[in-house]
Amino acid sequence: MRKINFSPIYLFTGLIFIILSSCAGSQQGVMTGKSAATTNGYSVINPGEPIIMYKYTHTRHSAKDVDKYAPKYYFTTASSDVLKDLTKNNIKKAYPTNHTFHDAIDANFTNDQELINFDEFHKMYKLNRLYQNGNSTMSSMNEPMNHDKMKMDNSMMSSMHGTMDKMHTMKMSGDFDHDFAHMMVMHHQAAIEMSEFEIANGTDAKTKSMAKDIISVQKTEIDQLQAFIKNYKVPEVKNTDMHHGLGDGMKTMMDKMNNMKMTGNVDKDYVMMMIHHHECAITMAEDELTHGKHMELRKIAQNIITDQKKEVAEFKVLRSNLR
């Protein structure tokens, strides 16, 4: 029998191939949520949410090389336990008929890395919050989907959510006048964006006329608020609890908007959203009258209360008349 000699170089090459194959298999092979739970390196970062997200951390390296290996992210859904790369395109493929969700993804994430953004306000990952909103809209519809209308509804809601996210993540100074002025600027900007959308896409003349008036008034108030912010110096001694009323009003408004059933009629949906939006502004302005110190800002707050209470009453009449 012929004796076979294995060269050390061949043995070394074979060993390297086995190791590389093992590494590749842990990331590129068919991995499920069940198998990931028992595989070193994988962890679930959002247990209990509809779209489960997994973080893979490379474990085959020394501690000093940890920064060289960026973590990778995957996901599974209720219908498939197979891990897929967490990308915008793959998420859309996982929900091929949920066009509302697709539009929300495009409106809120500019790249795949942003899919892991956490929504502090709702205490869940933003991707799942958008999915729940889109899924709720689809399940509440009793007529064939009109994707153009759904896209318009989502654009209006996305504008609102984007501004509210900024308001929620704003670092509070603890000085009520400072915090009210900054938050009201962002709140007004959301109203302006929604009103511009109504003017461009709505069909009811009265509703569009109100939208134009809101833009005019709130742009003027933004200029007044920004002038105050520019000249205002925050006192060194602050009460860090005084801004809580502002956050409570915003949360109430967002809860109401998240529970809204969008109709697909731009005028109706704009009116409903603006009622909630104005009610939040009125609450914030009333808090300013209670806690604020500066007469200039208190005057702006009083004007907001007067104007927006009147507009809420007009919107409620419009809501009952729109067909």
Side-chain angles (χ1 to χ4, degrees), residues 261-280:
K261 290 185 178 180
M262 305 297 274
T263 67
N265 181 300
V266 175
D267 299 310
K268 285 183 179 180
D269 294 339
Y270 170 76
V271 167
M272 288 192 297
M273 291 181 70
M274 287 306 299
I275 289 174
H276 296 321
H277 190 266
H278 273 16
E279 287 173 342
C280 176

Side-chain angles (χ1 to χ4, degrees), residues 60-157:
R60 293 180 175 86
H61 57 75
S62 63
K64 67 179 181 179
D65 291 331
V66 66
D67 293 335
K68 296 180 181 179
Y69 297 88
K72 294 185 177 181
Y73 294 90
Y74 304 88
F75 76 97
T76 61
T77 66
S79 62
S80 174
D81 192 46
V82 176
L83 268 64
K84 299 289 181 73
D85 290 336
L86 185 63
T87 66
K88 292 170 59 176
N89 190 48
N90 281 348
I91 289 289
K92 290 179 182 179
K93 287 181 179 178
Y95 300 93
T97 62
N98 194 336
H99 297 275
T100 299
F101 185 37
H102 293 186
D103 292 335
I105 289 173
D106 291 334
N108 286 272
F109 303 115
T110 59
N111 55 60
D112 294 335
Q113 182 61 31
E114 292 180 353
L115 292 170
I116 61 171
N117 286 351
F118 189 75
D119 186 334
E120 290 286 351
F121 183 76
H122 294 89
K123 300 303 178 185
M124 69 189 307
Y125 280 83
K126 192 172 182 179
L127 178 66
N128 274 282
R129 191 252 291 168
L130 295 173
Y131 168 71
Q132 290 183 337
N133 289 347
N135 201 45
S136 174
T137 299
M138 288 189 69
S139 62
S140 67
M141 297 179 71
N142 296 317
E143 58 184 27
M145 289 185 296
N146 183 321
H147 299 321
D148 290 336
K149 288 182 179 179
M150 291 171 68
K151 184 174 182 179
M152 287 191 291
D153 290 337
N154 183 68
S155 297
M156 205 183 310
M157 186 65 82

Side-chain angles (χ1 to χ4, degrees), residues 34 47-48 50 58 62 76 87 93 125 135 148 158 182 189 193 200 210 221 260 267 285 290 303 308 319:
K34 184 177 180 180
H58 197 286
S62 63
T76 61
T87 66
K93 287 181 179 178
Y125 280 83
N135 201 45
D148 290 336
S158 295
H182 280 79
Q189 286 172 337
E193 290 177 11
M210 286 191 67
E221 288 176 348
M260 275 180 54
D267 299 310
T290 300
N303 289 338
Q308 298 202 17
R319 182 178 60 185

Side-chain angles (χ1 to χ4, degrees), residues 5 25-26 39 55 67 90 106 115 141 148 164 171 175 197 209 214 217 233 250 260 291 294 301 303 308 317 319:
N5 294 317
S26 67
T39 304
K55 179 179 180 180
D67 293 335
N90 281 348
D106 291 334
L115 292 170
M141 297 179 71
D148 290 336
M164 295 304 102
K171 185 176 180 180
D175 179 84
F197 188 87
S209 177
I214 287 172
V217 170
K233 183 178 181 181
M250 180 180 67
M260 275 180 54
H291 302 295
H294 286 260
N303 289 338
Q308 298 202 17
V317 173
R319 182 178 60 185

